[in-house]
């Protein structure tokens, strides 16, 4: 599927990053530092941006956090980090944005949850105040509905209507409709207050894969606002990765979605960067975007009793990702390159030939040699104990010769 087959939505500009319209699907993430801790927050934002996050959201939940935003933005500017910063507001956002105009101006976008913007009679005035502030400072807004904090007034209204029907629908169906209506009615309200459609992004996030897919399919048919995709509370490790991949891949394959976040629970002492890497790999493996040269490696079997090829594949993968921040400015198109690291002669030579550059390492009982292929042609056979280092050099030489400024166009 081509990126051009995505459903056309209204484009929104967040700082220098375009979301929706003809823009590529954007990767975003969120810090988990205490925003008041400026040093830690700046460090994590830079880590996420360096990994490839194109938008970064931070929590703004107190006066101290609101005061810290300007300092965070200034320090990022000093370190030449231009990633747009999004403010995540709940309950008291209207007060914080009003009291701290420097914070309101420093943020590139505001995130509002209709279920948490206020309760009862205070909900509409507080929502209106936040939208008026967004208009005043010319900021886009994500109206982010979350199944765990759904506006109960919308749900109650729909449940009352459902009970009056001769054939009531299920609670799940009513809840899905409540989530969608909360987003759409809030967007309509924001437009009536004066916020342009080109300043509105919608999201409707829950943690059930099938429910999420149904919600976004319905939402996409009923509006042309830019849409943010994410499976909320996705979970930890492989569960979170698999669930997010399953949900978002189905939707993006159907042309739905303009920006994504993978909401992984970090493992103890784990890096927040993993959610960025997963988002990029979903987009790249589906063919929507390219971020870093991809490593093709076999799973191993009884023919590969040594772990040599696994270690080399991991080394090369880490090496490519670490170098990419430098390479993306130096080597045009290098992110589309494929590198094969194979473990034996069964599929090794064939996969190596299909990659831009590949190596076929000796399996158990095979001749201790490692042929290297570049664009389908065997160029050298590596032997001895320095195969890994020698292959690193060959990869770098290939990149320089094929993607460097003076290199011929690479097909």
């Amino acid at each position: 599927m081509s990126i051009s087959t995505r459903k056309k939505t209204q484009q929104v500009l967040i700082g220098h990053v375009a979301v929706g319209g003809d823009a590529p699907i954007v990767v975003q993430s969120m810090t988990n530092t205490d925003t008041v801790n400026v040093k830690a927050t700046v460090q994590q934002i830079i880590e996420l941006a360096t990994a490839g996050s194109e938008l970064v959201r931070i929590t703004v939940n107190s006066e101290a956090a609101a005061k810290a935003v300007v300092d965070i933005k200034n320090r990022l500017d000093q370190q030449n980090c231009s990633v747009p910063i999004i403010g995540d507001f709940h309950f008291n956002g209207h007060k914080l944005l009003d009291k701290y105009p420097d914070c309101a101006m420093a943020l590139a976008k505001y995130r509002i949850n209709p279920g948490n913007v206020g309760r009862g009679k205070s909900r509409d005035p507080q929502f209106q105040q936040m939208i008026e502030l967004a208009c005043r400072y010319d900021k886009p807004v994500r109206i982010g509905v979350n199944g765990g904090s759904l506006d109960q007034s919308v749900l109650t209204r729909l449940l009352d209507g459902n009970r009056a029907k001769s054939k009531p629908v299920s609670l799940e169906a009513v809840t899905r409709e409540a989530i969608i209506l909360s987003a759409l009615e809030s967007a309509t309200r924001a437009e009536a207050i004066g916020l342009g459609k080109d300043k509105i992004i919608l999201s409707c996030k829950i943690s059930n894969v099938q429910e999420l897919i149904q919600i976004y399919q319905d939402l996409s048919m009923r509006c042309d606002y830019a849409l943010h995709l994410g499976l909320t509370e996705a979970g930890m490790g492989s569960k979170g990765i698999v669930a997010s991949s399953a949900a978002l891949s189905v939707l993006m394959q159907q042309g739905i979605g303009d920006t994504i976040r993978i909401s992984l629970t970090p493992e103890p002492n784990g890096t927040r960067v993993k959610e960025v890497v997963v988002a990029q790999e979903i987009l790249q493996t589906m063919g929507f975007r390219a971020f870093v040269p991809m490593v093709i490696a076999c799973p191993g079997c009884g023919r590969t009793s040594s772990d040599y090829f696994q270690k080399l594949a991991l080394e090369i993968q880490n090496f490519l990702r670490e170098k990419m921040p430098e390479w993306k400015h130096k080597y045009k198109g290098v992110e589309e390159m494929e590198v094969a690291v194979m473990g034996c002669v069964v599929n090794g030579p064939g996969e190596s030939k299909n990659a831009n550059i590949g190596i076929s390492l000796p399996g158990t009982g095979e001749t201790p040699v490692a042929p290297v292929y570049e664009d389908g042609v065997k160029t050298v056979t590596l032997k001895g104990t320095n195969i890994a280092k020698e292959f690193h050099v060959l990869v770098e030489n290939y990149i320089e010769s094929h993607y460097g400024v003076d290199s011929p166009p690479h097909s």
Side-chain angles (χ1 to χ4, degrees), residues 138 189 209 232 298 374 405:
D138 195 29
R189 172 78 171 142
V209 171
T232 192
C298 67
E374 296 185 14
V405 175

Side-chain angles (χ1 to χ4, degrees), residues 63-82:
E63 292 197 18
K67 291 177 183 177
V69 168
V70 174
D71 193 7
I72 290 168
K73 181 67 169 60
N74 288 339
R75 293 196 192 190
L76 290 171
D77 289 342
Q78 290 167 8
Q79 297 188 56
N80 296 316
C81 180
S82 61

Side-chain angles (χ1 to χ4, degrees), residues 152-346:
Q152 293 302 301
S153 65
V154 177
L155 181 59
T156 299
R157 169 167 41 107
L158 293 184
L159 286 172
D160 290 343
N162 189 53
R163 280 191 290 269
K165 293 179 179 178
S166 58
K167 294 183 178 180
V169 298
S170 67
L171 174 60
E172 291 79 12
V174 175
T175 303
R176 287 197 301 269
E177 179 63 14
I179 290 171
I180 294 167
L181 268 187
S182 180
L184 292 176
E185 290 180 354
S186 296
T188 299
R189 172 78 171 142
E191 285 197 67
I193 294 168
L195 192 66
K197 183 172 284 189
D198 65 339
K199 298 290 185 182
I200 298 173
I201 295 177
L202 298 186
S203 68
C204 294
K205 299 171 74 172
I206 57 172
S207 56
N208 181 282
V209 171
Q210 293 292 353
E211 293 286 308
L212 186 86
I213 291 170
Q214 291 184 61
I215 286 170
Y216 271 98
Q217 287 171 335
D218 196 348
L219 178 64
S220 177
M221 288 190 292
R222 292 162 66 174
C223 74
D224 62 353
Y225 295 108
L227 300 180
H228 167 72
L229 301 186
L231 186 76
T232 192
E233 297 117 19
M236 182 179 286
S238 61
K239 185 271 177 184
I241 294 171
V242 170
S244 295
S245 301
L248 273 58
S249 296
V250 168
L251 290 168
M252 291 189 292
Q253 188 69 18
Q254 296 174 358
I256 300 169
D258 302 293
T259 174
I260 67 171
R261 183 198 171 198
I262 309 301
S263 300
L264 294 180
T265 303
E267 297 178 2
N269 301 315
T271 174
R272 194 70 162 181
V273 163
K274 190 169 185 178
E275 69 175 52
V276 179
V277 174
V278 172
Q280 289 182 329
E281 290 182 346
I282 292 172
L283 290 172
Q284 187 152 351
T285 55
M286 291 194 69
F288 290 113
R289 293 187 65 183
F291 298 94
V292 65
M294 295 290 283
V295 176
I296 301 165
C298 67
C301 64
R303 301 176 64 91
T304 56
S305 56
S306 167
D307 62 0
Y308 190 85
F309 87 95
Q310 297 154 299
K311 291 179 178 177
L312 180 57
L314 182 60
E315 285 178 16
I316 292 294
Q317 184 167 281
N318 291 340
F319 169 70
L320 295 172
R321 183 162 285 279
E322 288 168 5
K323 296 290 287 186
M324 198 57 208
E326 170 193 339
W327 286 349
K328 68 181 179 181
H329 301 296
K330 190 175 179 182
Y331 301 121
K332 184 178 180 180
V334 68
E335 65 276 4
E336 298 177 357
M337 189 178 81
E338 290 186 347
V339 181
V341 180
M342 306 300 292
C344 75
V345 298
V346 174

